[in-house]
Amino acid sequence: MTTSDTHWLDLLRMEAERTSMRAVASRLGYSAATVSLVLAGKYPGKSDRIAKATLALLDVVKCPHSDQTMTQIECRSISLGAAPTHHPMKLGHWRACQRCPNRPKGE
């Protein structure tokens, strides 16, 4: 695994330590046993679904424009999407995203 591949695992580990394994498992929709196996590196299956669920739930950023917490997926969708010229408030948010220090890189 590369460093970027372990980002989701680091997030999962930190959340399990902050709350509990059972709590984070429940929020993710998995059993505590599954999360325990994943964190111990002994999960017998592919962990891509757990990784995706973890990133969707825990990989968050505070939006300076809206002052709300949002997932990186939501942030990426707004900032890298097409300009929403049909809605003035959404366009204002999109414009703020273009100058934001949290703006995701990529396509």
Side-chain angles (χ1 to χ4, degrees):
M1 282 188 179
T2 66
T3 303
S4 62
D5 291 339
T6 62
H7 176 65
W8 70 271
L9 194 54
D10 293 338
L11 289 171
L12 182 60
R13 185 170 286 113
M14 286 188 296
E15 187 65 10
E17 290 171 3
R18 188 183 75 79
T19 59
S20 72
M21 211 173 300
R22 185 175 305 281
V24 73
S26 176
R27 289 176 57 205
L28 288 170
Y30 286 92
S31 70
T34 297
V35 171
S36 177
L37 289 169
V38 168
L39 291 176
K42 296 180 180 180
Y43 187 68
K46 288 185 175 183
S47 57
D48 56 336
R49 287 184 180 170
I50 298 167
K52 186 175 180 179
T54 300
L55 289 172
L57 179 69
L58 302 175
D59 197 14
V60 295
V61 64
K62 180 142 184 180
C63 175
H65 176 75
S66 67
D67 202 33
Q68 300 289 322
T69 300
M70 65 174 53
T71 66
Q72 288 286 355
I73 294 169
E74 292 170 315
C75 179
R76 177 178 283 284
S77 174
I78 295 168
S79 64
L80 300 179
T85 56
H86 64 286
H87 196 290
M89 288 179 63
K90 288 182 180 181
L91 182 60
H93 189 164
W94 180 87
R95 283 184 176 149
C97 290
Q98 304 313 298
R99 301 178 305 278
C100 181
N102 298 331
R103 187 172 189 260
K105 306 290 187 258
E107 297 175 16

